[in-house]
Amino acid sequence: RTFRESIGRRKKVVGKGNIVIDYQGSHVTADFITVYLETKEAAAEGKVVLRRGEDEFHGVRLRYNFETKQGELFDARGKSLPWYFGGKRVERQGEKAFLVEEGYLTTCDLPEPHYTIRTKEIRFRSDEKVVAKNVTFRAGGIPFLYAPYYTRSIQKGKVQRAGVGVVPGYSSRWGAYALSTWDLPLTDDVFAT
């Protein structure tokens, strides 16, 4: 490990090697990191891991503010239960608010998820709801449904609907098939199927 502190206009600490930083519940590990002491901002590269509580993110480049707990991670994947996600860019916008760009969202915890919701932009609060536009649903990596808009409430006490239902099967008449349904939320308590 090597450290260097500059006394110039912007005081900073630079680390190279297996760097670990713990600050007010945020835990960052990286191959290379620069922390600006006055603004509490960090820029990290290499094998970057950010942990905050039960949330965990992995990527190749990170910009993060230890004071506001907000930042962005590139070529990222992560989890904020019940969601697992990944994308070219993942932004932590608040304690449980996230933006995933050019990526996916799922509740499957496998390294290669059974199913994913893929789109250019997914906004979600891990304790509230998911909102996405121009969504492709994939099972086993194969796209099976497109939707122009998808929203899913995950608040406790709210009506929970599957949103999309798929029943695979086989019959002598149809051969292999997959029957599907789509629930359209009209209000928090009313759905059209």
Side-chain angles (χ1 to χ4, degrees):
R1 295 181 186 171
T2 60
F3 293 96
R4 181 178 75 229
E5 185 172 343
S6 70
I7 310 294
R9 288 181 8 185
R10 298 181 79 184
K11 295 182 181 177
K12 66 181 178 181
V13 174
V14 177
K16 185 177 180 181
N18 187 18
I19 304 303
V20 178
I21 296 177
D22 281 309
Y23 183 77
Q24 294 183 350
S26 296
H27 178 88
V28 176
T29 60
D31 294 333
F32 182 84
I33 193 164
T34 301
V35 178
Y36 298 93
L37 301 174
E38 293 174 354
T39 62
K40 309 261 189 308
E41 293 175 345
E45 293 182 8
K47 295 176 188 168
V48 179
V49 179
L50 167 63
R51 291 184 184 93
R52 175 131 181 93
E54 293 181 5
D55 296 350
E56 183 175 313
F57 313 91
H58 299 260
V60 297
R61 198 172 79 233
L62 170 75
R63 284 189 289 207
Y64 186 70
N65 186 303
F66 284 97
E67 195 68 33
T68 65
K69 316 295 188 277
Q70 296 177 347
E72 59 186 344
L73 192 59
F74 297 89
D75 293 328
R77 61 183 169 79
K79 70 174 182 173
S80 182
L81 296 178
W83 302 108
Y84 296 85
F85 49 88
K88 285 192 176 180
R89 181 177 168 268
V90 173
E91 183 178 337
R92 188 169 197 269
Q93 298 176 324
E95 191 61 34
K96 293 290 181 180
F98 301 92
L99 167 67
V100 177
E101 292 179 348
E102 295 187 42
Y104 70 91
L105 185 70
T106 184
T107 55
C108 180
D109 64 352
L110 296 174
E112 294 295 324
H114 288 97
Y115 80 94
T116 58
I117 300 166
R118 292 190 173 269
T119 184
K120 289 187 178 184
E121 183 179 288
I122 303 169
R123 292 183 182 275
F124 70 97
R125 285 192 53 87
S126 58
D127 59 348
E128 191 176 307
K129 73 178 187 175
V130 173
V131 177
K133 294 179 183 177
N134 300 317
V135 177
T136 303
F137 295 86
R138 294 176 181 234
I142 299 169
F144 68 90
L145 181 67
Y146 166 81
Y149 183 78
Y150 175 76
T151 182
R152 171 103 166 114
S153 174
I154 57 171
Q155 290 179 330
K156 293 180 181 176
K158 295 282 185 180
V159 173
Q160 299 293 306
R161 296 288 295 253
V164 176
V166 178
V167 178
Y170 183 86
S171 74
S172 59
R173 182 175 176 197
W174 293 345
Y177 65 85
L179 300 177
S180 62
T181 62
W182 175 259
D183 290 339
L184 175 64
L186 301 175
T187 70
D188 284 341
D189 298 317
V190 178
F191 290 81
T193 299

